Amino acid sequence: LSILLYNKLDNADRWRAAFQEVLPDLPMVTRETMGEPGEIRYAVVWQPEPGVLGELPNLRAIFNLGAGVDGILRDASLPADIPIVRLRDAGMATQITEYALYGTLHYHRDFDRYAGFQRAADWTELPNRRAGDRPVGVMGLGVLGADVAAKLAMLGFDVSGWSRSPKTLPDVSCFHGDDGVQAFLSRCEILIVALPLTDDTRGFLDARRIAWLPDGAALVNLARGPLVVEADLLAALEGGKLRGALLDVFNEEPLPADNPLWRHPKVIVTPHIAAQTRVREGAAQIAAEIRRMEEGGAPSQTVDRSLGY
Ligand SMILES: NC(=O)c1ccc[n+]([C@@H]2O[C@H](COP(=O)([O-])OP(=O)(O)OC[C@H]3O[C@@H](n4cnc5c(N)ncnc54)[C@H](OP(=O)(O)O)[C@@H]3O)[C@@H](O)[C@H]2O)c1
């Protein structure tokens, strides 16, 4: 019985060390050291290559070293009845909220406009708007989006949120479903995207829906690149519909050097760093799930494969 660690990031050694501490009795192997595939009972993965998980006949659960499971679900050979357990928060919510706050304040306090003025040595004052007069919207009110919405509301912003199922959150105007999306988008001067990438959300922010935003809105995408149609985003920036975009995620990562987003004057690019999984918190969460399963329990909070998140 052992655990397979499949993580193409360069912090695999840190994960292995953290697991050794919390699960000293369970050997952790890699694909190179694993021996008999039948020995593997649990797989702990980040963006595994398609096919890898289908080779393990005695697998009982797959643990994802992050919040988004789009990298796992694209694997057509994924065994159908094995539960997929994702990390919940694991230190990510605070970081995601910091990133969202940075983006919100950047546009709310006109730092984009002042940067342009500075380049022209132009000492122009713009009127400061009250946070309460600034409608900010959060798309996706899950573990991460709900934290963003709550903290923005705490700072006094006029916050709304949108999710698949109806929600009630203190001080947040909640919209849901396809019927609620136009009403939601039409009030977002700053839109923060915190949706998972699924069959339903891929390409969701296209020209038609971007047009529902108020003129001059700003976009913060800290979730997944393909949620936004890149060509439509560029057109909306060029045409002035959007005032700017803070982007952490892209269709292709790393963002190719010749992609126009790198040099676009209205775009800020960061290299998918909005939140990084905290290794110790992640390992502790997964260890607790494995112990529960070893004692005959079911894993908690598994991914709903039909919904894709
Ligand atoms: N850039 C980074 O560094 C980074 C780091 C971590 C995560 N992420 C991304 O952030 C995403 C969100 O993470 P999370 O932990 O907050 O996810 P989560 O807890 O699964 O929440 C997802 C939210 O999106 C809503 N949603 C899903 N499909 C929808 C649809 N078709 N229409 C409307 N709303 C929909 C859900 O609605 P319900 O509440 O009704 O289910 C839920 O509120 C992850 O999937 C990942 O891609 C990025």
Side-chain angles (χ1 to χ4, degrees):
L1 158 65
S2 49
I3 306 177
L4 171 70
L5 175 68
Y6 188 95
N7 177 6
K8 284 197 291 181
L9 297 180
D10 51 11
N11 63 357
D13 289 345
R14 287 186 52 220
W15 279 104
R16 195 174 304 110
F19 277 111
Q20 211 116 55
E21 256 176 55
V22 287
L23 286 172
D25 304 334
L26 282 180
M28 181 151 266
V29 298
T30 63
R31 274 193 101 211
E32 291 70 41
T33 61
M34 97 179 166
E36 219 6 80
E39 295 275 297
I40 306 291
R41 196 179 285 183
Y42 302 102
V44 176
V45 300
W46 180 243
Q47 298 184 337
E49 265 148 39
V52 169
L53 295 165
E55 292 167 359
L56 310 170
N58 296 320
L59 195 61
R60 289 182 54 188
I62 298 164
F63 295 94
N64 187 47
L65 292 178
V69 288
D70 43 301
I72 295 185
L73 295 179
R74 64 179 178 192
D75 181 353
S77 70
L78 203 62
D81 45 354
I82 308 292
I84 300 171
V85 188
R86 47 154 285 189
L87 286 179
R88 301 251 148 204
D89 189 344
M92 284 183 276
T94 304
Q95 299 167 69
I96 284 285
T97 295
E98 288 168 353
Y99 193 97
L101 287 181
Y102 175 86
T104 301
L105 294 175
H106 183 80
Y107 297 110
H108 173 61
R109 293 303 307 266
D110 295 307
F111 277 68
D112 54 340
R113 292 179 177 137
Y114 287 116
F117 293 166
Q118 182 172 353
R119 280 192 290 276
D122 175 0
W123 186 275
T124 294
E125 290 181 32
L126 298 171
N128 289 338
R129 225 197 291 171
R130 288 173 60 244
D133 295 332
R134 178 73 68 187
V136 183
V138 185
M139 268 195 130
L141 294 171
V143 178
L144 305 178
D147 191 66
V148 171
K151 305 260 167 69
L152 284 170
M154 223 182 270
L155 289 178
F157 285 99
D158 174 9
V159 184
S160 49
W162 182 73
S163 51
R164 193 179 48 80
S165 56
K167 294 235 171 332
T168 316
L169 299 175
D171 301 320
V172 179
S173 310
C174 292
F175 298 79
H176 69 275
D178 287 342
D179 293 344
V181 74
Q182 186 168 3
F184 165 75
L185 288 174
S186 66
R187 64 181 310 291
C188 299
E189 287 188 10
I190 300 170
L191 175 66
I192 295 157
V193 182
L195 288 170
L197 180 62
T198 68
D199 289 346
D200 290 337
T201 62
R202 183 177 293 277
F204 195 80
L205 283 171
D206 57 3
R208 184 170 72 103
R209 295 195 182 95
I210 290 172
W212 291 342
L213 291 165
D215 289 340
L219 172 78
V220 177
N221 187 3
L222 47 76
R224 283 292 182 269
L227 295 166
V228 182
V229 178
E230 197 174 283
D232 293 357
L233 168 64
L234 277 164
L237 290 163
E238 298 294 337
K241 175 71 194 177
L242 289 180
R243 137 189 199 177
L246 168 61
L247 306 174
D248 188 48
V249 285
F250 304 89
N251 274 325
E252 193 183 342
E253 296 179 8
L255 184 63
D258 61 356
N259 187 297
L261 291 170
W262 273 120
R263 275 164 288 274
H264 199 290
K266 290 175 155 183
V267 174
I268 305 174
V269 168
T270 54
H272 202 143
I273 45 69
Q276 294 157 347
T277 306
R278 298 263 180 250
V279 172
R280 278 170 158 270
E281 277 143 287
Q285 215 176 92
I286 293 171
E289 295 281 355
I290 289 181
R291 273 193 229 102
R292 185 176 308 124
M293 289 189 75
E294 286 296 296
E295 286 160 9
S300 66
Q301 303 181 317
T302 54
V303 169
D304 181 332
R305 289 209 207 177
S306 64
L307 293 175
Y309 68 100

